[in-house]
Amino acid sequence: MNPISAPRGTRDVYPPESAHWIRLEGDCRDIARRFGYGEIRTPIFEATELFARGVGETTDIVEKEMYTFTDKGDRSMTLRPELTAGIVRAVLEHKLFAQGPQRLYALGPFFRYERPQAGRYRQAHQLSVECFGVAGADADAEVIQIAALLLARYGIADAALNLNSVGDSVCRPRYRAALLDHFRPHADALSADSQRRLERNPLRILDSKDEKDRPFVETAPLMIDLLCDDCRAHFDTLRRYLDALGIAYTINPRIVRGLDYYTRTVFEFVSSVLGAQSTVCGGGRYDGLVEELGGPPTPGVGFGLGLERFLMVVEKLAGEHAPVRRGIQAIALGDAARDRLMPVVGKLRETSGEPTFADWQDRKLTAHFKAADRNGARWALILGDDELAKEEIVLRDLLAREDRRLPMAGPAAEVARTLVEATT
Ligand code: ATP
Ligand code: MG
């Protein structure tokens, strides 16, 4: 029988790589907590209509990338292609807006039917950060600082913050008209997607990755030149706040982001080490989204940060680092030694914060040392007949390659305490 492989565009994560995931998720939670953001968990599938309305009918995501299925009750369901729409749905359903501004984050998988390549998967994971109910640019600066701190914590200095404004319901219609004037004369030369989107949503053309569109996109008018007074003021205030926080940025009038719901601020953190899939984090303000999903008019701002891409940057920048060795490999040579060592290992696992590895099978010492290397153990604890007779145990420092003999007399708890002291 042929073995079954994982679906295309998905990845299994297992040790030692999973340790990087645990650490990154822990850092996401820690930084969110420092800003007063609470975790929200929502289902990974929702009614298809939620994404059609929330992400936008003419976006790549909704037109091409969604995993949609009909369930046994004949309802159209979709695996979430991003986290924000589900979060808004939940916040509305539980009437959380009645309690004032909501600062929330979520960690988890999202699904897009894309062509798999480095940094692009069909199941990927995001940190999604959302601040609802604050209209001022202080909230934009706040969420940007969350992403900036996470990058800084991993020493990712090369990620550049690109900033733009895509206007609001006052100035965007003017921009739309300007775009139509610009693209219409070249309609026949545009890609099929862009031709189709021209009349419905010309802004989407700006986000096209098709080579055919590029010359026309490059010469298109810029939203930033057409901002209304309020949008201009919002943008200027955000720039002031970022300067005050010491967060460097570049104004990039070309970024529009792939989701329809953005208003005013849009931003991306881009890393040069990632190649084609260079965006680690993308976000912006979405003042119309909550209303679009049936809620009261509520401003919002947030971002999605791709965990796979984040870890790729970390790995590329770190290069080949020797992994940190930690914990103890317990080695018993013979039945009597095993009986004596097992309760000590039990106590170590109860009381020490570091891992204790043990393989109780009857094996040669060299095999045990191999296991210690595989486990990344810092210490080996060796008990054989010799040591048993002397009521001693050998503690080997696997980094310094030094042996110490420690007393093995007394109850297991006492021996474990001596060992914890000797190894910290
Ligand atoms: P891209 O332009 O690379 O397709 P996007 O604009 O579609 O990105 P968003 O919808 O803003 O991306 O998602 C936020 C973040 O999630 C991205 O910045 C990226 O880090 C990550 N991401 C998006 N799509 C994928 C994917 N298919 N595989 C892995 N990570 C992804
Ligand atoms: Mg995309």
Side-chain angles (χ1 to χ4, degrees):
M1 241 192 310
N2 287 331
I4 296 166
S5 40
R8 231 165 91 72
T10 67
R11 299 178 67 239
D12 299 312
V13 177
Y14 46 89
E17 194 203 343
S18 47
H20 300 297
W21 281 85
I22 293 169
R23 179 177 164 212
L24 175 56
E25 287 161 358
D27 285 325
C28 291
R29 293 183 201 289
D30 174 59
I31 290 173
R33 192 183 52 82
R34 287 164 188 244
F35 283 76
Y37 283 63
E39 182 174 359
I40 183 163
R41 302 185 188 206
T42 64
I44 63 163
F45 67 97
E46 299 269 2
T48 302
E49 194 199 342
L50 176 71
F51 302 115
R53 271 163 60 186
V55 177
E57 297 270 16
T58 56
T59 58
D60 268 357
I61 294 178
V62 171
E63 281 189 346
K64 300 178 196 163
E65 298 174 357
M66 294 210 300
Y67 275 93
T68 298
F69 61 96
T70 306
D71 73 6
K72 290 192 189 341
D74 227 17
R75 288 170 288 256
S76 180
M77 293 291 168
T78 294
L79 299 184
R80 63 183 184 194
E82 53 98 52
L83 276 59
T84 306
I87 294 172
V88 173
R89 196 266 312 135
V91 166
L92 284 174
E93 197 162 329
H94 303 291
K95 303 189 171 57
L96 300 182
F97 288 130
Q99 301 164 18
Q102 292 292 312
R103 288 180 162 81
L104 299 164
Y105 76 93
L107 275 168
F110 65 100
F111 307 84
R112 294 185 190 175
Y113 195 79
E114 301 201 73
R115 195 170 66 78
Q117 49 196 299
R120 199 174 284 292
Y121 305 101
R122 290 181 173 174
Q123 171 170 345
H125 298 76
Q126 263 184 23
L127 164 68
S128 196
V129 167
E130 329 282 347
C131 175
F132 298 109
V134 185
D138 49 309
D140 309 37
E142 178 177 293
V143 298
I144 288 173
Q145 197 195 3
I146 292 178
L149 280 188
L150 191 62
L151 290 156
R153 187 174 281 197
Y154 284 76
I156 303 176
D158 95 303
L161 170 59
N162 285 315
L163 198 63
N164 192 22
S165 174
V166 293
D168 65 3
S169 55
V170 176
C171 49
R172 199 128 60 146
R174 297 206 297 257
Y175 183 51
R176 194 190 132 92
L179 283 179
L180 279 174
D181 287 346
H182 170 76
F183 285 122
R184 263 192 197 130
H186 312 290
D188 293 344
L190 295 173
S191 69
D193 275 344
S194 292
Q195 289 189 26
R196 196 160 34 78
R197 289 168 182 173
L198 179 59
E199 298 299 326
R200 283 180 74 193
N201 193 350
L203 249 98
R204 283 271 65 82
I205 301 175
L206 300 176
D207 203 34
S208 162
K209 289 174 180 124
D210 198 306
E211 282 299 324
K212 276 175 130 176
D213 298 325
R214 193 200 288 256
F216 308 107
V217 169
E218 275 172 2
T219 52
L222 299 174
M223 182 71 231
I224 198 115
D225 298 329
L226 297 169
L227 293 179
C228 62
D229 290 347
D230 287 349
C231 285
R232 168 68 54 198
H234 187 95
F235 195 57
D236 291 342
T237 308
L238 172 59
R239 294 179 57 184
R240 255 200 2 258
Y241 290 153
L242 291 176
D243 291 340
L245 289 168
I247 298 171
Y249 59 85
T250 313
I251 295 175
N252 180 349
R254 302 265 168 220
I255 59 168
V256 291
R257 315 274 320 119
L259 293 80
D260 273 352
Y261 52 52
Y262 288 111
T263 50
R264 295 190 172 164
T265 312
V266 290
F267 63 88
E268 291 181 351
F269 282 89
V270 180
S271 169
S272 58
V273 303
L274 280 181
Q277 270 59 255
S278 60
T279 312
V280 182
C281 170
R285 181 163 276 285
Y286 37 81
D287 290 345
L289 178 64
V290 175
E291 223 179 336
E292 183 66 38
L293 293 176
T298 310
V301 59
F303 66 78
L305 179 140
L307 300 186
E308 282 80 3
R309 287 192 201 170
F310 189 97
L311 287 173
M312 279 169 72
V313 180
V314 173
E315 198 187 327
K316 289 231 165 86
L317 291 178
E320 280 300 297
H321 262 315
V324 186
R325 301 190 71 126
R326 54 194 332 157
I328 300 176
Q329 179 82 37
I331 302 172
L333 302 168
D335 292 346
R338 185 182 52 220
D339 289 355
R340 185 76 179 89
L341 196 53
M342 205 177 266
V344 174
V345 167
K347 276 292 165 202
L348 278 172
R349 287 173 171 164
E350 214 178 294
T351 56
S352 167
E354 298 297 331
T356 308
F357 310 99
D359 180 346
W360 300 112
Q361 288 169 70
D362 213 1
R363 306 165 77 188
K364 289 212 175 67
L365 191 57
T366 50
H368 281 293
F369 280 127
K370 269 207 191 111
D373 277 341
R374 248 195 336 267
N375 291 328
R378 167 72 202 276
W379 310 88
L381 188 63
I382 308 152
L383 189 65
D385 292 338
D386 232 28
E387 288 78 22
L388 266 182
K390 293 185 192 148
E391 295 236 299
E392 283 180 349
I393 192 158
V394 173
L395 180 67
R396 175 171 297 180
D397 184 332
L398 294 170
L399 274 185
R401 301 183 178 281
E402 279 169 8
D403 284 357
R404 280 171 70 186
R405 291 186 164 261
L406 298 171
M408 185 69 185
E414 205 170 294
V415 178
R417 206 174 317 119
T418 311
L419 286 166
V420 170
E421 271 167 28
T423 54
T424 43

